[in-house]
């Protein structure tokens, strides 16, 4: 395991706060990566295997994501090493939040990631007694429940459509890995846009149909059965992970990170990969896909709909008025489609991966803000 000092470079992290509580068994960490463009904003995840290095990587992604969509917040992320299905989830979450009361909300504002829901955001606000301590709160509390609205997945689908239009792939077959908060919303919007979703997966398995899946029916079953919906279609069952390798022109990894390595990149038949999840492809895989002529839209471009909606939520935290949902969806579509074109054109003109092009754009913006705050000392 890398030491905390090994995680620090010219960009950050600026602060790493590790916390624990003997009574609840809570262990957690907050990583504030770079606040040159604004206070730290990013989701909090609850997973048994969470590590400091993982959270630091995700905090860095948030730095580039905020800069990539040109919104003025800084990269940050938090993680709790616990099972979100625990009967003591609320006690663990409250303990974690109390331990970070010095940082929240002055330096960091909680958001939602894997393992946390809108109701958990409400618990955070209750624990700290401050409406400004979290976003993603339930609609009934004046929040913008962007997971419930499916805004991130909606943005992913808009990016798919924009990138596909450049390659003559509009209305093509799409394989979606993951049918959770991001994946199901992406599949729903893709269906509306006329795409044929031929494969999906959940934590319970994967299914595929070369003639196209019935997305409205899958969405209905998801609302009833959750991840277990795939068990209702034994005749369509495929091996978990194979959803990325079915016959489809477009692949949308929208589940876990680090799922596409160099070997998987060689096997994939898709001509367009749109990263709905954070960090789904390794750097080696990105080079393989570039060599094979596969277009890739990076995570911090493709799934930035969540940060756009979070920005609306940040602005509305202390307001008695709700943020206008229609404005959020239209802004997500406008910003993400424009960013997609800008990044793909830059990648093509420079013959680099789209990740390198997008990161370069974000770094220019972050570096400019850092320099405006004072000339750095030589190291």
């Amino acid at each position: 395991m890398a030491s905390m000092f090994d995680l620090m470079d010219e960009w950050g992290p600026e602060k790493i706060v590790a916390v624990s509580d003997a009574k609840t068994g809570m262990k957690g960490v907050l990583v504030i990566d770079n606040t040159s463009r604004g206070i730290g904003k990013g989701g909090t995840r609850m997973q048994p295997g969470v590590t400091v290095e993982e959270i630091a990587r995700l905090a860095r992604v948030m730095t580039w994501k905020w800069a990539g969509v040109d919104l003025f917040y800084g990269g940050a992320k938090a993680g709790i090493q616990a099972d979100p299905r625990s009967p003591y989830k609320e006690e663990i979450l409250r303990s974690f939040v109390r331990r970070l009361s010095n940082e929240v909300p002055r330096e960091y504002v909680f958001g939602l990631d894997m393992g946390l829901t809108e109701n958990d955001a409400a618990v955070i606000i209750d624990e700290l007694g401050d409406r400004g301590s979290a976003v993603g709160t339930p609609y009934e509390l004046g929040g913008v429940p962007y997971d419930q609205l499916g805004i991130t997945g909606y943005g992913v689908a808009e990016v798919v459509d924009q990138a596909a239009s450049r390659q003559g792939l509009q209305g093509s077959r799409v394989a979606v890995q993951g049918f959770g908060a991001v994946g199901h919303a992406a599949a729903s919007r893709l269906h509306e846009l006329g795409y044929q979703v031929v494969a999906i997966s959940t934590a319970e398995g994967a299914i595929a149909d070369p003639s196209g899946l019935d997305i409205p029916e899958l969405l209905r079953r998801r609302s009833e059965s959750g991840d277990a919906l795939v068990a209702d279609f034994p005749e369509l069952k495929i091996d978990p992970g194979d959803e990325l390798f079915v016959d489809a022109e477009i692949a949308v990894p929208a589940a876990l990170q680090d799922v596409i390595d160099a070997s998987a990149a060689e096997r994939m038949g898709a001509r367009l990969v749109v990263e709905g999840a954070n960090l789904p492809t390794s750097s080696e895989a990105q080079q393989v896909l570039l060599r094979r002529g596969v277009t890739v839209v990076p995570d911090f471009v493709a799934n930035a709909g969540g940060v756009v909606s979070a920005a609306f939520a940040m602005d509305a935290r202390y307001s008695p008025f709700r943020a206008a949902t229609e404005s959020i969806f239209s802004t997500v579509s406008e910003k993400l489609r424009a960013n997609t074109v800008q990044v793909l054109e830059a990648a093509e003109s420079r013959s680099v991966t789209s990740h390198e092009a997008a990161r370069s754009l974000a770094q220019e913006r972050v570096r400019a803000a850092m320099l405006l705050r004072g000339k750095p000392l030589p190291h």
Side-chain angles (χ1 to χ4, degrees):
M1 171 183 162
S3 76
M4 291 188 184
F5 291 110
D6 292 330
L7 300 174
M8 298 174 182
D9 59 20
E10 61 178 311
W11 308 105
E14 297 171 358
K15 179 181 284 192
I16 301 175
V17 183
V19 295
S20 66
D21 176 47
K23 182 178 180 181
T24 62
M26 179 276 296
K27 295 180 181 178
V29 64
L30 166 65
V31 178
I32 299 176
D33 185 59
N34 188 299
T35 60
S36 60
R37 287 170 55 92
I39 69 167
K41 175 71 197 74
T44 296
R45 64 175 45 183
M46 181 182 286
Q47 293 290 307
V50 160
T51 67
V52 175
E53 185 172 7
E54 171 191 356
I55 299 303
R57 289 176 67 197
L58 293 168
R60 179 59 53 83
V61 170
M62 289 305 302
T63 295
W64 304 146
K65 196 176 291 188
W66 284 116
V69 292
D70 204 19
L71 294 171
F72 290 91
Y73 291 109
K77 205 79 173 182
I80 308 169
Q81 201 175 80
D83 189 337
R85 297 168 296 182
S86 167
Y88 306 108
K89 178 183 182 179
E90 182 175 328
E91 290 88 341
I92 293 170
L93 179 60
R94 287 182 181 273
S95 174
F96 180 66
V97 171
R98 284 196 302 274
R99 289 288 192 268
L100 293 176
S101 60
N102 288 335
E103 286 76 25
V104 179
R106 188 172 63 87
E107 297 179 64
Y108 172 69
V109 175
F110 284 100
L112 304 180
D113 203 317
M114 294 169 58
L116 294 189
T117 67
E118 281 88 359
N119 289 347
D120 296 317
V123 167
I124 292 169
I125 287 175
D126 179 69
E127 184 61 35
L128 293 178
D130 189 332
R131 282 185 62 193
S133 59
V135 297
T137 49
Y139 183 79
E140 293 79 3
L141 296 182
V144 179
Y146 35 88
D147 280 356
Q148 182 179 321
L149 293 171
I151 296 173
T152 301
Y154 174 89
V156 170
E158 293 291 292
V159 167
V160 168
D161 190 53
Q162 186 66 50
S165 69
R166 301 178 78 251
Q167 296 178 252
L169 296 178
Q170 284 181 300
S172 297
R173 297 170 296 177
V174 185
V176 179
Q177 182 183 58
F179 207 62
V182 176
H184 93 276
S188 177
R189 179 58 176 163
L190 287 167
H191 176 75
E192 291 176 355
L193 291 170
Y195 289 82
Q196 189 178 47
V197 180
V198 296
I200 65 152
S201 64
T202 75
E204 301 290 329
I207 57 175
D209 185 343
S211 63
L213 295 167
D214 186 342
I215 295 303
E217 176 63 14
L218 291 179
L219 293 171
R220 184 185 70 78
R221 299 209 183 203
R222 179 181 183 272
S223 67
E224 296 176 353
S225 308
D227 286 346
L229 71 93
V230 294
D232 296 339
F233 304 92
E235 73 282 5
L236 303 179
K237 181 180 177 181
I238 60 174
D239 290 338
D242 282 355
E243 63 273 14
L244 289 176
F245 307 110
V246 300
D247 287 334
E249 288 73 35
I250 303 169
V252 179
L256 302 173
Q257 63 192 55
D258 299 321
V259 293
I260 302 177
D261 58 14
S263 175
E266 291 282 9
R267 292 176 55 201
M268 293 177 67
R271 295 164 55 193
L272 169 63
V273 176
V274 177
E275 297 184 337
N278 287 323
L279 305 170
T281 59
S282 69
S283 57
E284 294 79 12
Q286 293 159 19
Q287 292 294 334
V288 170
L289 293 170
L290 175 65
R291 172 174 55 77
R292 295 185 57 221
V294 178
T295 299
V296 181
V297 183
D299 49 2
F300 52 95
V301 174
N303 65 23
V307 302
V308 175
S309 56
F312 276 90
M314 287 286 285
D315 199 42
R317 283 178 300 157
Y318 296 111
S319 172
F321 301 100
R322 300 183 191 278
T325 302
E326 298 80 7
S327 296
I328 298 175
F329 279 104
S330 62
T331 302
V332 165
S333 178
E334 178 186 341
K335 274 190 168 290
L336 269 59
R337 283 178 178 270
N339 283 354
T340 298
V341 172
Q342 184 177 17
V343 166
L344 294 182
E345 287 182 349
E348 291 173 3
S349 66
R350 294 167 49 197
S351 298
V352 298
T353 69
S354 55
H355 287 78
E356 292 170 313
R359 195 158 40 244
S360 176
L361 172 65
Q363 286 176 348
E364 288 174 8
R365 292 171 176 168
V366 173
R367 191 182 299 281
M370 293 172 69
L371 291 173
L372 288 169
R373 288 172 176 266
K375 185 177 179 180
L377 295 173
H379 297 288

